[in-house]
Amino acid sequence: MSKKVKDFGIEKTLRNLGIKDENKGTSVGGEYFASGKMIESFSPVDGELISKVETSAESDYDRVIETAQNAFKEFRLIPAPKRGELVRQLGQKLRQYKDDLGKLVSYEMGKSLQEGLGEVQEMIDICDFAVGLSRQLHGFTMHSERPGHRMYEQYHPLGIVGIITAFNFPVAVWSWNTALAWICGNVTIWKPSEKTPLCAIACQNIMIEVLKENNLPEGISSVLVADHEIGQKMVDDKRISLISFTGSTRVGRMVSSKVAERFGKSILELGGNNAIIISKDADLDMSIIGAVFGAVGTAGQRCTSTRRLIIHESVYDEVKNRLVKAYGQLKIGNPLDENNHVGPLIDRDAVEQYTKSIEKCKQEGGNFVVEGAVLEGEEYASGCYVKPCIAEVENSYEIVQYETFAPILYLIKYSTLEEAIATQNDVPQGLSSAIMTQNLREAELFLSHAGSDCGIANVNIGTSGAEIGGAFGGEKETGGGRESGSDVWKYYMRRQTNTINYTAQLPLAQGIKFDL
Ligand code: NAD
């Protein structure tokens, strides 16, 4: 660990979270085991090896599934509000470990410490939400057409929920799924990104405390730290009722068809290509802050990062000039240091993607008003730090249609709002969108049926960041899934319609007669 990073107390953080120099990556509750290859987790912050994890091998897999199946038989019988109590305890533990877990997220993934802590806060928030929800898993009752009959709907747990997650939200996405899956009576198996294995071990260690303190059976919450092959096995496995997949559209497309082939359920949270429309009636101060945070926050590695700004021609030059000035003030460096605005990309492959995208954009005619660069020097020794950049482009460029997971912001000019909305919608992805305007008519048109086609549409807020109370997810190649708040819990349950006849006759529906 570099001296500079050592000063931020990472060693103590690792100790507090139970991360050893070598860890085993498979756990079905209290016990850890593994028989796979060793992976090393390097920090993109300083390029140092943080720790090693022995991954789950195929031979571990069946044991995890069978333990989860057995645990489900017990767990589903615990009343939902009592399961909610377990989620409440998880939320309390997360409060206790918030500083350490937030710091680990920052060091292993590279996002700013504030964002790391914010991610843990999201975990706490979803736990609070799920606790209340555990008393409200309600179905409708409806009037039967047959006399003396009662008809209603109820929801039952599914069984095993498989959670496959991306590197960029290494802890929150697991908790969004686990908190809801649990109150609904399911057990969970988590395959985290192999790029952030230590965040997963830390979460599992926290979970183990909850399981042990409540004397719960193993297998309610399992983790398989492994590469994509185990992910593929989960996708193909009929014993896993629901696959909640968060990741790229490329992998999500395959997950979607494989799970559908076996008639499993899936929640898909895939790539975004999010735009902010800046209208002639926008508050430009707010717009600049929203755009810059959306584009460079998490170094452009949020699914909701702002990738395109669609700017009215009358304010285009002013917005462009102010953005160039704002980008000139960005501080890039160690994300644990709160003076910095932008941290590193996850790894050198991501840096290569960034560089290739810039080249491709130039080839297609993009005009860079803020040039990109890979940063060099002692502070940037990991090789993962890049300069956020801005290019003037056409929406139709191939590269603009593609989600590059890096801080590259595209500027596009428009003259009518209808044209701006059409441009905003004219990409394969449909996650998040926003308009900055003080004009009610513009705001309402943007939110109407003729407006944004995304799962998230905001007014006078940027594209990135969402509260857990709402359903989170997107349309088109973003996958159509929803996670987190609102009535998303229904994805984690199976729906059943019940009709009870309390008479001594057996009348048939639709007036059908069947006399013997
Ligand atoms: P990725 O698709 O490379 O990997 C995601 C997960 O899938 C990892 O755990 C990986 O091991 C696993 N995986 C890879 N191949 C698999 C296979 N064949 N079968 C099963 N699992 C497999 O994504 P990433 O680079 O980790 O994350 C970045 C992507 O995730 C971006 O596209 C981003 O937009 C998206 N994302 C979306 C949301 C959302 O809510 N919509 C949230 C976060 C990230």
Side-chain angles (χ1 to χ4, degrees), residues 70-365:
N70 289 334
F72 174 60
K73 286 183 196 143
E74 215 174 301
F75 196 52
R76 65 185 169 180
L77 301 178
I78 299 176
K82 295 239 157 56
R83 297 192 299 254
E85 164 57 19
L86 302 173
V87 175
R88 189 191 66 77
Q89 292 179 28
L90 176 62
Q92 286 303 101
K93 294 266 179 220
L94 289 168
R95 284 179 171 86
Q96 197 183 318
Y97 286 104
K98 180 174 173 182
D99 287 349
D100 284 320
L101 194 54
K103 201 182 274 186
L104 177 63
V105 167
S106 177
Y107 189 53
E108 191 179 34
M109 185 272 157
K111 64 175 66 176
S112 76
L113 179 60
Q114 278 310 310
E115 290 174 304
L117 294 169
E119 189 171 338
V120 182
Q121 186 58 47
E122 267 188 41
M123 304 172 85
I124 295 167
D125 293 344
I126 193 72
C127 287
D128 287 354
F129 177 84
V131 174
L133 197 59
S134 69
R135 293 181 182 269
Q136 297 177 63
L137 304 176
H138 56 267
F140 289 121
T141 63
M142 48 294 265
H143 290 247
S144 168
E145 67 183 39
R146 288 165 283 181
H149 283 57
R150 186 163 74 80
M151 195 157 69
Y152 72 103
E153 282 180 348
Q154 59 176 339
Y155 290 84
H156 293 303
L158 290 172
I160 302 177
V161 173
I163 306 165
I164 301 176
T165 56
F167 76 84
N168 64 329
F169 276 89
V171 294
V173 173
W174 165 72
S175 70
W176 287 6
N177 282 283
T178 297
L180 290 198
W182 265 29
I183 58 144
C184 293
N186 303 298
V187 299
T188 56
I189 299 177
W190 180 23
K191 197 214 84 62
S193 166
E194 54 275 51
K195 294 177 186 172
T196 49
L198 303 178
C199 286
I201 303 254
C203 288
Q204 183 70 2
N205 285 345
I206 294 170
M207 178 61 96
I208 285 169
E209 288 186 16
V210 179
L211 298 179
K212 285 200 169 147
E213 284 166 20
N214 290 278
N215 208 15
L216 289 166
E218 291 194 319
I220 289 174
S221 175
S222 305
V223 69
L224 288 161
V225 176
D227 61 16
H228 66 276
E229 280 160 21
I230 290 284
Q232 179 73 61
K233 247 177 124 51
M234 290 170 69
V235 166
D236 289 334
D237 194 332
K238 274 189 175 175
R239 295 169 293 182
I240 301 185
S241 311
L242 168 67
I243 291 283
S244 177
F245 177 84
T246 303
S248 59
T249 295
R250 182 184 63 80
V251 178
R253 193 186 304 279
M254 183 278 302
V255 169
S256 170
S257 64
K258 289 279 178 197
V259 177
E261 223 168 80
R262 63 173 174 85
F263 294 102
K265 291 177 193 281
S266 60
I267 296 175
L268 300 171
E269 299 281 353
L270 315 178
N273 192 347
N274 318 295
I276 301 178
I277 297 173
I278 302 183
S279 126
K280 60 183 183 331
D281 293 325
D283 176 325
L284 291 191
D285 291 343
M286 277 169 61
S287 304
I288 300 297
I289 296 172
V292 175
F293 175 71
V296 311
T298 324
Q301 299 170 107
R302 287 187 180 206
C303 49
T304 52
S305 288
T306 306
R307 311 223 172 266
R308 298 174 296 144
L309 286 186
I310 304 167
I311 310 164
H312 191 264
E313 57 193 3
S314 65
V315 292
Y316 183 87
D317 285 338
E318 185 180 350
V319 170
K320 179 172 78 178
N321 293 336
R322 288 180 67 172
L323 284 170
V324 171
K325 199 166 159 216
Y327 270 51
Q329 291 163 3
L330 289 175
K331 293 200 188 83
I332 307 163
N334 176 3
L336 293 163
D337 180 344
E338 292 186 46
N339 292 314
N340 290 324
H341 301 106
V342 186
L345 292 178
I346 182 71
D347 55 22
R348 290 183 184 209
D349 287 347
V351 173
E352 199 182 322
Q353 284 301 317
Y354 158 89
T355 312
K356 280 190 178 154
S357 294
I358 291 174
E359 275 166 27
K360 170 114 174 101
C361 185
K362 286 186 176 167
Q363 277 163 15
E364 289 194 80

